[in-house]
Amino acid sequence: MNLDLFADANRWPTRPYCSDDKSARFIRSLSAAILRPYIQANPPHLRIWSIYDIDRAGGALAWERANLPPPSWAAANRENAHAHLVWGLSVPVLVDSPDMRQRPLRYLCAVEAAFRERLQADQGYSGLITKNPSHSLWRTWRGPRLTYELGELAEWVDLPKYLPKRKPQEIGIGRNLTVFDWLRQYAYRCIRHHKNGAHNLTMWQCHLNNKALDRNGDLQIPLDGQEIWHIAKSVGKWTWNRFDIATSDEKFSQLQAHRGRQSGISRAAANEGKRASARQMAAQRLSTRAIATELAVNQSTVVRWLK
C-alpha cells in the first residue's frame, strides 16, 4: 500500500535514513528504505513534509479535535493508536543553507509552532524519522490532498502570536534555525584562520560540527546528531567555497569607517555644547579651573575653547 505517497520520488530523500525500530538507523536507497517501518521523510536542507508526533490514543484524529485541515496522511500504531500526522508542502522550504531566505523559514517556524500547540504534539520531536506510511506495521489514512501551500495552513491558526522574532522559539524547526544562525556567524569569523592554516574542507566541516554540537547542548531539547551534521556540512561547504573574505573585510572596513564618522560627529556635537557652556560661565567670571571641573574636561581644553 503506497497511497500514491511515493509516486513523486523528488519529494523524498534519494538515500534516506530508515530503520526497523527507533534504536538504529541505516542509509539505503529509497526503493529499499520504503520496505522499513521507519523512514526519513524530508531531504537534507528541505522541509517538504511537516510532521507531528501525537503520543496518545486517537492520535490519527487529533487534527479534527484541533480544528485543522486534514493531513496528507496519518500513520498510527496499531497497538496504542499513537500517530504521526503529516502535511505536505506544495513549495518546499530551505531550512539550513546560507543561500536560504530567512522569511520563509521563520514563517514555517511560526506555522509549525501553532500546529504543534493545537495538536498538543510532542515538543521534542524533530521530524527526522517518521512512521513509513506504506508499511503494514502501521494503520495509515490518506487525506484528500497531498500538499498545501504554507499560507493555506497559516489560515487555520492564530499566526501573529507565533511569528518568531529575531530569535525563534527553540523547539521544532526553530532549533535548526537557532543552531544554523549561530554556526554561520561563527564560520564567517573563523574561515580565514582555517584556510590560511592549510586545513581542508573535511577538517573545516568536522570543526564546525563540533562547535554546532556544543551549541546544540545548550538547547532545552537538543537536535539529533545527524541533523547537526547536515547543518555543519552545509555551512562548512558554503563558507569554504563561496564566502568572499576580501569582500567581507572591505564591508567591515566601510562599516568601521562609517561608525567612526558617526562617533566623530556625535563627539563634535557634544563638545560644541560644552564649548558654549564654557563661554557662558566665563562671561559670569568663573575661573578656567572651575569651568573645567563643572564640565568634566581638562583646564587646557577650556583655555583653548575660550581663545
Side-chain angles (χ1 to χ4, degrees), residues 213-286:
L213 287 171
D214 288 342
R215 180 63 182 89
N216 188 47
D218 294 333
L219 300 180
Q220 185 175 1
I221 305 175
L223 287 165
D224 181 275
Q226 294 296 337
E227 293 177 278
I228 293 297
W229 175 237
H230 282 310
I231 294 173
K233 283 180 62 180
S234 175
V235 173
K237 184 177 180 179
W238 193 93
T239 51
W240 190 268
N241 294 327
R242 299 177 59 181
F243 184 68
D244 191 329
I245 295 176
T247 299
S248 176
D249 288 346
E250 177 62 23
K251 288 182 178 179
F252 179 76
S253 296
Q254 292 176 357
L255 177 61
Q256 291 294 86
H258 174 73
R259 288 173 174 172
R261 289 192 296 271
Q262 293 299 109
S263 177
I265 292 171
S266 298
R267 286 196 300 271
N271 287 339
E272 184 59 36
K274 288 186 176 182
R275 185 181 293 109
S277 297
R279 291 168 182 160
Q280 290 179 354
M281 286 187 279
Q284 298 171 3
R285 300 187 180 279
L286 269 69

Side-chain angles (χ1 to χ4, degrees), residues 131-279:
K131 293 177 172 65
N132 181 352
S134 69
H135 200 278
S136 60
L137 186 62
W138 320 114
R139 181 179 286 111
T140 302
W141 293 268
R142 165 69 191 271
R145 294 177 57 178
L146 181 64
T147 64
Y148 292 86
E149 292 184 6
L150 191 56
E152 288 183 88
L153 298 180
E155 291 176 357
W156 289 81
V157 290
D158 180 18
L159 198 57
K161 172 183 175 183
Y162 297 94
L163 282 173
K165 306 301 181 185
R166 182 70 176 175
K167 295 182 179 179
Q169 190 176 9
E170 294 182 349
I171 59 175
I173 196 67
R175 295 177 298 173
N176 298 63
L177 184 54
T178 295
V179 175
F180 171 79
D181 278 345
W182 181 89
L183 188 65
R184 68 185 177 91
Q185 294 297 333
Y186 172 84
Y188 297 157
R189 296 194 304 271
C190 299
I191 181 64
R192 177 189 294 99
H193 169 75
H194 280 259
K195 275 198 167 183
N196 292 344
H199 296 166
N200 59 38
L201 172 60
T202 301
M203 293 176 64
W204 172 235
Q205 289 174 322
C206 289
H207 174 74
L208 292 181
N209 185 60
N210 289 332
K211 289 295 182 181
L213 287 171
D214 288 342
R215 180 63 182 89
N216 188 47
D218 294 333
L219 300 180
Q220 185 175 1
I221 305 175
L223 287 165
D224 181 275
Q226 294 296 337
E227 293 177 278
I228 293 297
W229 175 237
H230 282 310
I231 294 173
K233 283 180 62 180
S234 175
V235 173
K237 184 177 180 179
W238 193 93
T239 51
W240 190 268
N241 294 327
R242 299 177 59 181
F243 184 68
D244 191 329
I245 295 176
T247 299
S248 176
D249 288 346
E250 177 62 23
K251 288 182 178 179
F252 179 76
S253 296
Q254 292 176 357
L255 177 61
Q256 291 294 86
H258 174 73
R259 288 173 174 172
R261 289 192 296 271
Q262 293 299 109
S263 177
I265 292 171
S266 298
R267 286 196 300 271
N271 287 339
E272 184 59 36
K274 288 186 176 182
R275 185 181 293 109
S277 297
R279 291 168 182 160

Side-chain angles (χ1 to χ4, degrees), residues 40 42-50 89 91-109 112 126-128 150 168 172-182 184 223 227 230-232 234-235:
Q40 175 188 353
N42 286 300
H45 320 309
L46 288 177
R47 195 65 137 207
I48 293 178
W49 307 104
S50 186
L89 302 179
V91 180
V93 178
L94 197 59
V95 297
D96 61 6
S97 169
D99 291 325
M100 70 184 181
R101 295 168 56 207
Q102 292 286 315
R103 288 187 64 184
L105 180 55
R106 294 180 185 278
Y107 193 40
L108 173 65
C109 284
E112 291 198 344
S126 67
L128 179 64
L150 191 56
I173 196 67
R175 295 177 298 173
N176 298 63
L177 184 54
T178 295
V179 175
F180 171 79
D181 278 345
W182 181 89
R184 68 185 177 91
L223 287 165
E227 293 177 278
H230 282 310
I231 294 173
S234 175
V235 173

Side-chain angles (χ1 to χ4, degrees), residues 23-143:
S23 61
R25 294 175 188 166
F26 314 97
I27 297 177
R28 298 290 186 267
S29 65
L30 180 59
S31 60
I34 60 177
L35 302 177
R36 306 269 184 165
Y38 294 92
I39 190 170
Q40 175 188 353
N42 286 300
H45 320 309
L46 288 177
R47 195 65 137 207
I48 293 178
W49 307 104
S50 186
I51 310 173
Y52 304 86
D53 184 22
I54 315 299
D55 285 330
R56 61 181 182 276
L61 297 176
W63 63 273
E64 282 190 326
R65 293 188 291 271
N67 191 30
L68 294 174
S72 302
W73 83 79
N77 189 309
R78 293 180 182 274
E79 295 181 358
N80 58 23
H82 294 188
H84 283 173
L85 301 184
V86 184
W87 281 265
L89 302 179
S90 58
V91 180
V93 178
L94 197 59
V95 297
D96 61 6
S97 169
D99 291 325
M100 70 184 181
R101 295 168 56 207
Q102 292 286 315
R103 288 187 64 184
L105 180 55
R106 294 180 185 278
Y107 193 40
L108 173 65
C109 284
V111 172
E112 291 198 344
F115 267 56
R116 192 178 297 109
E117 181 170 300
R118 289 275 285 273
L119 292 166
Q120 297 180 6
D122 181 4
Q123 299 276 9
Y125 176 66
S126 67
L128 179 64
I129 299 290
T130 188
K131 293 177 172 65
N132 181 352
S134 69
H135 200 278
S136 60
L137 186 62
W138 320 114
R139 181 179 286 111
T140 302
W141 293 268
R142 165 69 191 271

